Amino acid sequence: MKKIIALLSVICFISCQDKEIITTLSGKITNSDTKTIKLEGLNFSKEINLKDDGTFSDTLNLDYDGLYSLVLNDEKQRFIYLEKGFQLNLENNAEEFEKSFVFKGNGSDENNFMSKKHQIIESIYGKLNNMEGIKPLFSLDEKAFIEKNELYKKEILKTLDEAKLTNQNFIKLEKLDADYHVLKLYEQYPSYHGYFTDNREFKASESFPKVGDDFSMDNEELFKFSYSYRNLSGNHFSEKMYAEADSTKTPIEKGFATLKTIKSKLIQSEMVKNMMYELNGTTPNLESVYKEMLSYSMDEKYKEKLTEKYEILKNIAKGLPSPTFEYENINGGKTSLESLKGKFVYIDVWATWCGPCIGEIPALKAVEKEYHGKNIEFVSISIDDKKDVEKWKKMVADKELKGIQLFADNDWKSDFVKNYAIDGIPRFILIDTEGKIVNADAPRPSDAKLKDLLKEVGL
């Protein structure tokens, strides 16, 4: 009998251990023009319904304690902190989404602190959610920029102390986040400062703070908690992918080599997302690369997108017929790829808001001039939003752009863009005289390899 009782006790203990820890998120969002909100995290996504009066309540099965994003209308979003077992209640006015959060219940202390942190960021740095917003900050000289960051750390630590939080792990991670927040800005400063001051040759001084060579992207706990650390880790991973030190390997090969040095499966899953941009119609061993990328991912949505891109890429290999287009020509009427048959066609997919695209314009104009009169047409396809068609026309005129200037019919969702799986611009494509693909990801005009490619096809 004693043995039976003991066995039952063990079973009870195991069942108690296996029981899910319930987390609840409830509250009210007023003046919302949508009936749902989304909660998104690392490999996590849940849609929560709003009642007619804006109230909501739902239970969550969280995979981790840390940072999640509350999304309204796919435009307004706000980071919140959640732990397994929280019963968090929030109130918000959608018309003042960023400023009107009030938290109650278990988890409110941490999230009310994060509201104060958001206020500190805005009061010190201004709004950092677009290029115009960050211009004043990154236009500062080095000394003033450093002073801003030191002030931020001072204010965060002061506010953290005044909040008298009891969650010691949260406090520890917030202190680390403050460090990585300023490190992220220091890393961004040289390129942004050069851009906003129109000094593309700008380099920070030797004494300017920077991320050290000992930076580790393998801290899973911090990765779950800190958006700044995630951002830095992603940048660090990309730097290793595109490092020139080992030019014998492709970015994809260097990406896989870097993934193997990361112990955290979660971080591997996030970092492999940085590699999808490199997957294109010219990728050697496309199928095996695709399968290896899949093997590192824990994110079902990413796997679906990766598979969708792979299926498209199989159809744009060298020698296959090119996807076609027929778009508005700036000189009137429409121009199709079919109408250019008999000539090579070098296509530039770009937009007026794309800095790197605009940076290629001088080189593109030089190449067009050099190959003028030869059997090749230079076609630029803008994927600007329809509302910006006049902005496009003005830039074409102001910069005296040559070649055939076309405007795509549905920006990123245009068939030609989707059929080439274009997820980043500028993108250059070379098509032969029969309308077949020579290179689905051709060298940029500024790359000497472009002339090698043109020479290879007899131009």
Side-chain angles (χ1 to χ4, degrees), residues 337-389:
L337 180 61
E338 179 68 23
S339 69
L340 303 175
K341 209 164 186 179
K343 292 188 175 183
F344 285 93
V345 182
Y346 182 66
I347 299 171
D348 169 20
V349 182
W350 72 296
T352 60
W353 47 260
C354 169
C357 301
I358 295 168
E360 288 292 328
I361 288 175
L364 178 59
K365 291 170 76 172
V367 172
E368 288 174 341
K369 184 177 180 180
E370 182 175 345
Y371 286 82
H372 181 72
K374 296 190 177 182
N375 195 36
I376 183 171
E377 292 282 2
F378 292 88
V379 178
S380 294
I381 300 176
S382 165
I383 61 169
D384 279 287
D385 190 279
K386 287 182 180 179
K387 65 179 175 59
D388 293 324
V389 65

Side-chain angles (χ1 to χ4, degrees), residues 384-428:
D384 279 287
D385 190 279
K386 287 182 180 179
K387 65 179 175 59
D388 293 324
V389 65
E390 293 303 321
K391 183 179 178 182
W392 164 67
K393 289 179 180 179
K394 186 176 186 303
M395 182 170 286
V396 170
D398 290 348
K399 293 192 174 292
E400 300 179 337
L401 302 186
K402 308 299 181 182
I404 298 172
Q405 297 293 327
L406 306 180
F407 195 86
D409 58 358
N410 200 16
D411 52 77
W412 288 99
K413 297 180 285 296
S414 302
D415 285 344
F416 185 76
V417 174
K418 292 193 295 183
N419 290 337
Y420 265 101
I422 296 174
D423 49 16
I425 54 175
R427 174 71 170 272
F428 298 90

Side-chain angles (χ1 to χ4, degrees), residues 130-196:
N130 56 47
M131 292 297 281
E132 282 303 310
I134 67 176
K135 183 177 180 178
L137 172 65
F138 286 100
S139 297
L140 295 172
D141 62 31
E142 287 187 15
K143 183 174 182 295
F145 187 79
I146 292 171
E147 287 174 352
K148 284 271 188 186
N149 286 308
E150 290 302 314
L151 175 61
Y152 170 77
K153 288 176 68 174
K154 179 181 178 182
E155 288 299 313
I156 282 294
L157 294 178
K158 176 186 173 186
T159 306
L160 195 58
D161 183 59
E162 291 173 348
K164 305 210 179 289
L165 298 167
T166 59
N167 188 334
Q168 294 303 312
N169 198 52
F170 179 87
I171 294 170
K172 176 194 76 173
L173 292 171
E174 273 295 349
K175 289 179 178 178
L176 288 172
D177 177 73
D179 290 334
Y180 283 104
H181 172 87
V182 298
L183 270 178
K184 177 189 70 173
L185 294 175
Y186 286 139
E187 185 178 72
Q188 294 171 334
Y189 179 79
S191 59
Y192 277 133
H193 184 76
Y195 175 78
F196 287 123

Side-chain angles (χ1 to χ4, degrees), residues 189-204:
Y189 179 79
S191 59
Y192 277 133
H193 184 76
Y195 175 78
F196 287 123
T197 59
D198 200 24
N199 178 11
R200 300 304 172 91
E201 303 302 316
F202 174 79
K203 291 184 179 180

